[in-house]
Amino acid sequence: MTAVESWKQKLAHLMPPDLAREIDIFETQIELRKQGKIDERVFAETRLRRGVYGQRYDNGQRHDGVRVQKLRLPSGGLTKGPETVWDAPGMIRIKIPFGGLNPEQMEVLADLSEEYADGISHVTTRQDIQYHFVHIDDTPSLMRRLAAVGITTREACGNVVRNVTACPLAGVCKDEVFDVTPYAKACSKFLLGHPDTQDFGRKFKIAFSGCKQHPCGLTSMHDMGAIAKKKVVNGEERRGFEFYVGGGLGAVPYRAQLFNDFLPQEELLPIAQAASRVFARLGEKRNRARARVKFLVANLGIDEFRRMVLEEREKLAADPRWTDYLSRLHEWAEKPLKPGVSLDGSERPAGFDAWYATNVYHQEQPGYVVATVTLPLGDITADQLRALADIAPRFVKDTIRTTVEQNLVFRWVSEADLPDLYKALCQIGLGEPNAGTIVDVTACPGTDTCKLGIASSRGLARKLRTHLSEASLQLDEAVKGLRIKVSGCFNSCGQHHIADIGFYGISRNVNGYTVPHFQVMLGGKFKDNAGAYGLPVGAVPSKRIPEVVTLVTDRYVRERQRGESFQDFISRIGKKEVKAMLDGLTKVPPHDVDPSYYSDWGDPREFTLTDMGVGECAGEVVSQAQFTLAASERELFEAQIYFDSGDFKKAVLTAYGAMVQAAQGIVKTQHYDISDNEEAILSEFQQRFCDTQLFYDKYAGRQFADYLFKAREALKSRGEIGEDLALRRLQEAQLFIDAAHSCYKKLSELQSASRASVAGTASPGEG
Amino acid sequence: MDLQRINVKFFVENPDGILLTDFIRIFNSWIQASDGEYYDIADYHHVHAGPGVLLIAHEANISIDNTGNRLGLLYNRKQPLSGNNQEKLDFVFRSALEFCRRIEEEPAPQGKIKFGGNEFLFLINDRLLAPNSAATFRAVSPDLEKIAKTLYAGAEFLMDHRNDAREIFAVKVKSLVHFEVLELLHNLQDHGELKKEGSWDTTRSLSK
Ligand code: SF4
């Protein structure tokens, strides 16, 4: 055989020169880092901007359920970022603008997952694809192979414009105003690597939607969201967008605010550029927890933000790219492979009808349908993806997309072809029905691979899928249509805020053990572009969450009024009632009675937060503190009741009271006799826990403590309290109380260590 | 051809009733018994005919793999091996077979798991180094034949390669005689001793 050439040589003629050059530069940066010529922090941001992300345990240690093991990685001290060992495998995020894929790209994605990762391509909640367990040394080759089929990982992570998402039905939807695909593509291309998008303090997410009422685009939860709109101007129909800014999920969700109710299409890119400049200039840079656009918009107020963006817009030098693409909009129109023929009379294979009922959408264009390929937890094997690349050209052209619900869709399928398509999917194990139903649970990576994960979102989602799909035939139609979304922590990558039933991972200290729990969120709205965010109703041990789903959905079926939505049902019965319903599920039996509560789904290890890398803490723990923390939760619950009854002012005051009480609980760990005086509590809390960084989250810093002081300042200023503000305060209070529990746990651990030290079992470093 | 990224899969003889999730517990106990050798467990039992449950490590992943709907132990060498091709193959086969043996010894709820020694899949997980072509097969065959002869101690075997440029390079090797995992390990051992290279420790890495 001839000498093996490199991928760089082999693909030189296939890669776009700019992408090829960028990858060469990245490869050089890897080399320079190995030689110690690039600072680890600089390198970390560099690789993030190339989509090369960290993964759980990449600090070189892992708790095996009994002890922390130092992982044998031969890096010799070399790191790829702070506390990130070079040889530790990582995650690669691949940007798929608006989710658009063609068979050639699918095939390459399949190959790469096999050769560089663990054989799985994972579709994310933002239409990206992720690989896990990839070695950084393999990334330049991986990137070259993607570049050769027109895919980049550039700016898939880091403080930049992330993947631009759009409805997977864009262009074929019955309700859309027009196809947003070319706009999403143009926006993605224009902002990628643009000098005005390189100096953000935090990531920037953009979404496009073809209509206002459906959820496919989820524009309300994005930093920037554009909803297609038409308007007659001077007798002529013009295209434009209802344009929103400042939305976002994360720990505290913000709904995007209306920037312009009709932004002409010609202004889309210049306004996006101007907004980027304002964000780069004025957005928070030091405090990551406050650095998203949503905080800037909230701080400035939408009117001032708009004024600044428009002022910036006026200063911009004209760029032909702003409008060049508009003359070529017709080029984006997709073509079907075959004539559209209806299904009538075609033979239906076994199982087809159930699949047809949930996985098929009738397009605007007669005779054509969109067929959804259900991917369990967003995962697809290399063989399946390659097979799909074979199946696709039999039925459609390059019209495949990923979805925010972690599935794939084939668009422009002639309806008469559906039985054959279904059979082909079944042959590769992808004929599962239930797309977009309660069974099709969405989950972020959670503790499987995410460094910030607290509880196993995928483990829970897997369990719920099994639990619900076994019952799916018996499920009431109203329940089938609900959405469940799970996040491994409050950061909400699983989008739990916008689910009918959402969960996010937390932990609780019970009987001296750390026990995995999920916070239950009810009443979020996926429809209307993520039209409403859910509220937390209580923490339940992870192992009892399937029962939560059964209890809540059974009651909905039994007691719902005619045509009543789940959100309306939850508001009608009230959170007090919901909480009472869950009360029986919150108890954790002693460890020796049922140890299963003390480990997470799909993980036999005894549960621990050690793998998150908890910081040091000090203090003395007293049971009074726990009691006060519990009382603070109760008070917060009352705040939620006020909120439900429309008394937003009282809700905010009570939520603040709950936070003060939680702070008091924490202060009590060091100062038994702290009075009930608010000033005294806050002063002690500040001195003992904030100034000393004991009440400090490794990743969120002092964000949670700030919620308390911010709420206090806001109350002093006596501004108007509307629904949105009240909702936000409730969310912040919940997070503050969760953080208080975490802090309490850290203090308990320290106390145990101190006891061990007194007993003569101190660790070697101790004096 | 300098063989790298060598993969070997031995198939389970009695796959009925085996639960992939049992391997999470088994691999976890291996992790607990090791000293930082294994990185993590990846659980993909929810996907059809997929990678199953993987035990991830820096040098090689081990998995109970269900690709092609055939359950087996896949040893996936990731880091480069030094030595000549026979030494590398010897190392990879010993490692894979040792893991098979270890699994066979594990108590599992549905009875002992058994691997068939008379058949294995040999793969090179690198499309650049080893495109799945007749040319690669010609280049690899002498080394593969040699190790198969050692494994099967002279018994007849067949090598089946299918050209498919899209798949990773794979050769199915099947002996006409039944072999146990332990027998294959002994055959490798005997061969090693004949070569007076002393006994092998499969935990010993040959990586540079
Ligand atoms: S929500 Fe939390 S656990 Fe899930 S991916 Fe995001 S940061 Fe990780």
Side-chain angles (χ1 to χ4, degrees), chain A residues 416 447 607 670:
Chain A
T447 48
F607 185 77
Q670 288 192 359

Side-chain angles (χ1 to χ4, degrees), chain A residues 1 4-7 10 55-59 62 64-67 69-74 87-89 107 111-112 114-120 132-133 135 138 145 376-377 379-381 383-384 386-387 389-390 427-429 448 458 462 602-605, chain B residues 1 5 21 24-26 28-51 54 56-59 61 67-69 76 78-79 124-131 133 135-137 139-140 165-168 203:
Chain A
M1 286 180 81
V4 180
E5 54 186 352
S6 65
W7 284 114
K10 193 175 166 106
Q55 199 176 304
R56 206 166 177 86
Y57 317 122
D58 66 7
N59 60 354
R62 180 182 187 275
D64 66 11
V66 179
R67 67 194 162 112
Q69 289 198 15
K70 195 164 164 29
L71 300 168
R72 266 197 253 157
L73 297 165
D87 281 311
E107 181 146 352
D111 293 353
L112 302 186
E114 204 165 44
E115 287 177 60
Y116 302 121
D118 55 12
I120 292 287
H132 295 101
F133 301 105
H135 196 290
D138 286 331
R145 294 169 75 177
L377 307 186
D379 291 344
I380 184 164
T381 70
D383 280 352
Q384 286 174 325
R386 228 179 342 261
D390 280 344
Q427 275 169 9
I428 55 168
D448 273 16
R458 277 167 62 86
R462 213 184 267 122
D603 190 343
R605 290 176 293 173
Chain B
M1 182 182 192
R5 299 223 187 198
T21 45
I24 300 173
R25 182 189 51 76
I26 291 172
N28 190 58
S29 69
W30 291 11
I31 290 176
Q32 286 175 336
S34 81
D35 189 16
E37 186 178 354
Y38 303 113
Y39 193 84
D40 198 8
I41 295 168
D43 172 13
Y44 293 115
H45 81 268
H46 53 276
V47 297
H48 169 84
L54 298 95
I56 312 279
H58 174 67
E59 300 194 334
N61 294 345
T67 303
N69 240 337
N76 170 6
K78 299 186 290 186
Q79 291 300 313
I124 301 178
N125 192 14
D126 186 331
R127 286 177 172 79
L128 184 71
L129 173 72
S133 63
T136 304
F137 184 56
V140 168
R166 299 170 68 209
E167 303 284 341
I168 57 172
T203 58

Side-chain angles (χ1 to χ4, degrees), chain A residues 565-590:
Chain A
S565 73
F566 185 72
Q567 287 78 27
D568 291 343
F569 168 74
I570 292 294
S571 333
R572 180 168 61 77
I573 66 167
K575 288 198 182 64
K576 194 173 176 185
E577 187 56 34
V578 178
K579 189 172 167 59
M581 197 161 61
L582 301 186
D583 269 353
L585 300 177
T586 56
K587 306 279 176 301
V588 178

